[in-house]
Amino acid sequence: MQALKGWMWKLGVAALGLIILFNILDKTVLSWTVINPGYTGIKINRLVDRGISKENVVTGFVFYNPIQSVVVVYPTFVQREVWTRSATEGSPANEELSFNTKDSVPVAIDVAVSYLLRADKVPEFYTRFRADDISNWTHGYLRDTARNIVVAIGSEYSFDDINGVKKEEFLNRVTAELNRRTQPIGVTIQQFGLVGALRPPPELANAVNAKTKAIQDSIRTENEVRAAQAEARKKVAIAEGEAAANRALASSLDDRLLAWERLKLQRAYIDKWNGQMPGVVSGEGGGMLLNIPAPAAQK
């Protein structure tokens, strides 16, 4: 029993020693990390001007000497960032972009940008920017570049154009130019667009709203006028049709036809008369309703 306790004590001491040794090695001689799918890592040599190792680091376990090397990991899936004035969307700081239009109108915009970092360009990307965290590059180099492009292209449009029919053209030009500048460093811009509407000065915004309302009122009034004109034309057409029908009917009647119709009416009354005088006589002369000749005296 005593011997067993001795062996257990020695085994515990050995295990503790291995743990301590492993921790020392992990901090000084040997370390490892895991690079998940959707990320690319590069091994940096700290002792040789922070040179990048030629070893292809993709996914899985990566072992390295922490004294000599460090592994930097970049995402290679689509990244999205927003630069807005709002403290609840994106950064709490005001990151809106602003520019002056061709007609000297100061405009502020909130934008969203989506981009993709090519895995095969990651070593060159790090060599150029020395950015251990890609968000530093996003809110630094990328934002500055986008702002400069917006200022340059925005100055070629009037406010009415950029706030109206040429808004999409403006955004497409900004996206294309941003892509032209970032693709050589391995970054492809997937999308660049507005978050919300353009923000001109308050006095101009009020004028724009008034102009929009005036246009809407004019369109509504024009529609009402067209409806009234259509209704008037309908009534005229109906009246003209009735008048034409009356003229046609009047033109088809002559004196002989009217006399014949009167005779037909008198004949109908005679056929229905029972030979008795009417009990009610009207008119001043006290005459009969119908002028009927007296019957001849019987022989």
Side-chain angles (χ1 to χ4, degrees):
M1 180 63 68
Q2 188 68 27
L4 180 59
K5 289 183 179 180
W7 276 105
M8 292 180 63
W9 185 82
K10 291 180 180 179
L11 184 61
V13 171
L16 180 60
L18 289 175
I19 293 174
I20 295 173
L21 178 61
F22 180 79
N23 287 332
I24 294 174
L25 292 175
D26 182 59
K27 301 298 183 183
T28 58
V29 179
L30 182 64
S31 187
W32 59 278
T33 188
V34 177
I35 301 177
N36 296 316
Y39 293 84
T40 293
I42 53 174
K43 187 181 293 185
I44 310 301
N45 191 334
R46 293 175 172 177
L47 303 181
V48 186
D49 192 25
R50 301 198 69 180
I52 300 173
S53 172
K54 298 299 182 182
E55 179 180 353
N56 292 326
V57 180
V58 183
T59 60
F61 289 93
V62 178
F63 295 91
Y64 61 96
N65 182 348
I67 297 178
Q68 180 181 0
S69 304
V70 64
V71 174
V72 178
V73 180
Y74 288 110
T76 53
F77 52 89
V78 174
Q79 303 293 299
R80 180 181 182 273
E81 295 291 345
V82 292
W83 300 317
T84 70
R85 182 177 62 179
S86 173
T88 60
E89 188 171 13
S91 171
N94 183 358
E95 292 186 326
E96 65 183 6
L97 304 183
S98 59
F99 62 97
N100 288 336
T101 61
K102 181 171 63 176
D103 45 355
S104 300
V105 176
V107 178
I109 56 176
D110 297 334
V111 300
V113 59
S114 299
Y115 66 88
L116 183 66
L117 178 62
R118 288 175 48 186
D120 60 324
K121 290 284 189 176
V122 166
E124 298 178 24
F125 180 86
Y126 177 83
T127 300
R128 178 168 181 174
F129 296 103
R130 302 292 182 178
D132 295 343
D133 186 352
I134 197 169
S135 64
N136 295 332
W137 176 84
T138 302
H139 295 285
Y141 178 87
L142 183 60
R143 183 175 181 276
D144 290 343
T145 303
R147 179 177 55 192
N148 294 338
I149 294 173
V150 166
V151 169
I153 296 180
S155 64
E156 300 177 12
Y157 294 89
S158 68
F159 177 78
D160 287 342
D161 287 340
I162 210 169
N163 193 44
V165 295
K166 293 189 177 182
K167 181 185 297 183
E168 290 299 322
E169 176 185 311
F170 164 72
L171 293 174
N172 290 337
R173 287 186 59 189
V174 172
T175 304
E177 180 61 21
L178 193 57
N179 245 323
R180 189 186 69 82
R181 298 193 189 187
T182 58
Q183 281 187 342
I185 60 177
V187 176
T188 301
I189 304 300
Q190 302 288 314
Q191 187 178 16
F192 183 91
L194 296 179
V195 179
L198 281 71
R199 287 193 299 275
E203 58 274 11
L204 180 58
N206 294 335
V208 170
N209 293 335
K211 178 181 178 181
T212 302
K213 184 178 183 302
I215 293 174
Q216 293 173 346
D217 291 343
S218 175
I219 294 175
R220 182 173 61 254
T221 302
E222 183 177 353
N223 291 336
E224 292 174 352
V225 169
R226 288 178 179 175
Q229 291 175 342
E231 184 65 22
R233 286 194 295 269
K234 178 180 176 181
K235 292 180 178 180
V236 169
I238 293 175
E240 289 178 348
E242 293 177 350
N246 292 334
R247 287 194 300 271
L249 179 60
S251 64
S252 65
L253 300 177
D254 55 17
D255 294 339
R256 289 178 299 174
L257 181 60
L258 293 175
W260 174 250
E261 290 294 331
R262 284 195 296 269
L263 289 175
K264 286 172 63 178
L265 292 174
Q266 290 178 357
R267 180 65 180 177
Y269 285 125
I270 292 172
D271 292 340
K272 294 180 180 180
W273 186 50
N274 55 8
Q276 298 180 357
M277 296 297 290
V280 179
V281 179
S282 62
E284 296 178 353
M288 297 177 60
L289 293 176
L290 297 175
N291 295 324
I292 301 174
Q298 295 181 357
K299 294 180 180 179

